[in-house]
Amino acid sequence: MDDVLEIGGRTFRSRLFVGTGKYPDIETTRAALKASGAEVVTVAVRRINLGDTGRGSLLGMLAEEGFTLLPNTAACYTAEDAIRTARLAREAAGTDLVKLEVIGDPKTLFPDTEALVEAARVLVKEGFFVMPYTNDDPIVARKLVDVGCPCVMPLGAPIGSGLGIRNPHNLQILMETVKVPVIVDAGVGTASDAAVAMELGAHGVLMNTAIALARDPVAMATAMRLGVEAGRLAYRAGRMAPRRYANASSPLDGLIASTPSALSIE
């Protein structure tokens, strides 16, 4: 309880954020989200009906389970589209939270960072709590913080790729550059990827595909929760310094002197 995540004055116990797409049905979605231990779940505003909050709907289920809703602007390719989508989400869902995405290329789904900064500047001025999906560029991250974003969400690998953390060095530089929480978003494939992100010093991890497309989504959600927790604990514990050569685990002082074998051959 003494290690809560604070972003812009809001506190969260779980450092795992999860998405809601690609699941086979609503009950599998419910079970996986609950198994993940996540408090915040993200939904694509342009891919669901925000007015459908009845029993059996995605939004209805999220409300029943008490999850905090994080609308995202997935599938927006311009700053104008992203701003419009965020405003729609605030009106329909009654939240100032938004995961801001401005995609620059339909094949790679890499962000258009110039448009991202532009959209973030506008939405922050309008009172939104902007959580921007970005690349692993420390300079872009700093610009997002400068316009008022309370955190940044750099990719670990392309969205939905499951490739894991491809450039840990860049992520570490990014985390040293900005003084706000860093949530690794996209590219995680399994629990060890989540643990690596947290061991690097990330404040949290956001994922969707790795859980939803697992053979057993509920089991994978549990594994991801444990991976995030283990990685965070290891980071706080402080790992030993790597060594190039072996180093005996037991102390060498006080060793019993060796004696020649009684069966030595003359």
Side-chain angles (χ1 to χ4, degrees):
M1 292 300 293
D2 66 335
D3 186 35
V4 296
L5 172 60
E6 182 174 342
I7 304 177
R10 302 173 189 241
T11 57
F12 307 101
R13 296 184 303 278
S14 173
R15 292 173 180 269
L16 177 58
F17 299 73
V18 292
T20 53
K22 303 182 181 180
Y23 287 94
D25 54 67
I26 195 70
E27 288 310 315
T28 303
T29 308
R30 183 198 303 267
L33 297 188
K34 292 177 68 174
S36 74
E39 297 168 79
V40 180
V41 299
T42 182
V43 295
V45 176
R46 302 188 69 171
R47 293 176 179 146
I48 65 167
N49 179 3
L50 290 175
D52 185 5
T53 58
R55 188 172 183 82
S57 69
L58 175 62
L59 293 182
M61 181 273 288
L62 296 178
E64 289 171 12
E65 299 297 340
F67 291 109
T68 296
L69 186 65
L70 175 60
N72 71 58
T73 62
C76 291
Y77 285 83
T78 67
E80 292 76 14
D81 278 350
I83 293 167
R84 187 182 307 112
T85 302
R87 290 168 177 165
L88 174 64
R90 181 161 63 181
E91 288 297 318
T95 179
D96 59 352
L97 289 170
V98 64
K99 181 193 170 194
L100 181 61
E101 299 183 29
V102 184
I103 302 301
D105 174 67
K107 182 177 181 179
T108 64
L109 298 182
F110 286 143
D112 179 337
T113 55
E114 182 179 7
L116 178 68
V117 174
E118 178 186 345
R121 181 181 292 108
V122 172
L123 292 173
V124 166
K125 288 181 179 178
E126 293 184 4
F128 280 89
F129 183 90
V130 178
M131 301 173 68
Y133 161 70
T134 183
N135 59 14
D136 58 3
D137 183 341
I139 308 306
V140 174
R142 188 169 61 200
K143 290 180 179 181
L144 289 165
V145 173
D146 288 345
V147 301
C149 294
C151 70
V152 291
M153 307 179 78
L155 55 82
I159 292 175
S161 67
L163 290 172
I165 309 303
R166 306 312 301 165
N167 199 335
H169 183 62
N170 263 32
L171 286 176
Q172 286 181 307
I173 294 174
L174 188 153
M175 286 183 272
E176 293 170 2
T177 300
V178 298
K179 304 305 178 185
V180 298
V182 174
I183 313 297
V184 172
D185 178 11
V188 169
T190 189
S192 58
D193 298 332
V196 167
M198 297 303 293
E199 288 172 359
L200 288 172
H203 298 80
V205 180
L206 190 149
M207 65 186 70
N208 181 190
T209 307
I211 296 176
L213 296 190
R215 185 172 63 251
D216 185 338
V218 178
M220 184 59 80
T222 303
M224 291 299 191
R225 172 175 59 81
L226 296 173
V228 168
E229 292 174 358
R232 176 63 180 176
L233 187 59
Y235 173 76
R236 295 188 77 198
R239 67 158 292 155
M240 62 168 283
R243 297 187 176 99
R244 187 174 181 183
Y245 298 106
N247 185 50
S249 298
S250 303
L252 299 179
D253 295 339
L255 284 181
I256 298 173
S258 60
T259 58
S261 171
L263 299 178
S264 60
I265 299 175
E266 297 183 2

